[in-house]
Amino acid sequence: MDKNNKGWNFIHNIAKDAEWKPGLRDIFNYRDLGIKDGTNGDYIAHIIKANGKELKDEVKEWHMHECDFQFVLVLNGWATFEYEGEGIKTIRKGDAINQRPGIVHREIDCSPDFEVLEIVAPADFKTKIVDNPKWMELLKLMSIYPNF
């Protein structure tokens, strides 16, 4: 065994055999690309696409992911996100984001044909709903300036 391969396996995920399943968010379907198994859980790679459902979902709330790495490449459509400290960003077909670990963000809206490739480490990352960072900033200001 090559000492540099970390025990990872070669994976060939075939498009015509793809299985689309529900996942983290009800408004999307997910296609696992086999990377979680191939890297022994070090990474996950999946294609996420809008499925036409229009449900309220928690990811439209402020949240963060407990992960070390998150990369998103837009394959189709667009989405608008708001990031703590970065402002509102609209990502479109061909755009990519390296979303730094722990950044608080929320999705504002997405097109009905929104589709992305997402790669995250570790594969079993957690998502936490958090307080609105703007509200938290105001509370910090009020504690500094109690008569504000």
Side-chain angles (χ1 to χ4, degrees), residues 1-8:
M1 176 172 81
D2 179 354
K3 66 181 180 182
N4 295 321
N5 78 5
K6 301 182 181 185
W8 292 357

Coordinates of all heavy atoms in Angstrom, one line a residue, residues 1-8:
M1 N 0.8 -1.2 0.0 CA 0.0 0.0 0.0 C 0.9 1.2 0.0 O 1.8 1.3 0.7 CB -0.9 0.0 1.2 CG -1.8 1.3 1.3 SD -3.0 1.2 2.6 CE -2.0 1.6 4.1
D2 N 0.5 2.2 -0.8 CA 1.2 3.5 -0.9 C 1.0 4.2 0.5 O -0.1 4.4 0.9 CB 0.7 4.3 -2.1 CG 1.3 5.7 -2.2 OD1 2.1 6.1 -1.3 OD2 1.0 6.3 -3.2
K3 N 2.1 4.6 1.1 CA 1.9 5.3 2.4 C 1.3 6.6 2.3 O 0.9 7.2 3.4 CB 3.3 5.4 3.1 CG 4.3 6.3 2.4 CD 5.6 6.3 3.1 CE 6.6 7.2 2.4 NZ 7.9 7.3 3.0
N4 N 1.2 7.2 1.1 CA 0.6 8.5 1.0 C -0.9 8.5 0.7 O -1.6 9.5 0.6 CB 1.3 9.3 -0.1 CG 2.7 9.6 0.2 OD1 3.0 9.9 1.4 ND2 3.6 9.5 -0.7
N5 N -1.5 7.3 0.5 CA -2.9 7.3 0.1 C -3.9 7.3 1.3 O -5.1 7.2 1.1 CB -3.2 6.1 -0.8 CG -3.3 4.8 -0.2 OD1 -3.3 4.7 1.0 ND2 -3.5 3.8 -1.0
K6 N -3.4 7.3 2.6 CA -4.2 7.3 3.8 C -5.2 6.2 3.9 O -6.2 6.3 4.6 CB -4.9 8.7 3.9 CG -4.0 9.9 3.9 CD -4.9 11.2 4.0 CE -4.0 12.4 4.0 NZ -4.7 13.6 4.2
G7 N -5.0 5.2 3.1 CA -6.0 4.1 3.2 C -7.3 4.4 2.4 O -8.3 3.7 2.5
W8 N -7.2 5.5 1.6 CA -8.4 5.8 0.7 C -8.5 4.8 -0.4 O -7.5 4.2 -0.9 CB -8.2 7.2 0.2 CG -8.3 8.3 1.2 CD1 -8.6 8.2 2.6 CD2 -8.1 9.7 1.0 NE1 -8.6 9.4 3.2 CE2 -8.3 10.4 2.3 CE3 -7.9 10.5 -0.1 CZ2 -8.2 11.7 2.4 CZ3 -7.8 11.8 0.0 CH2 -7.9 12.5 1.3

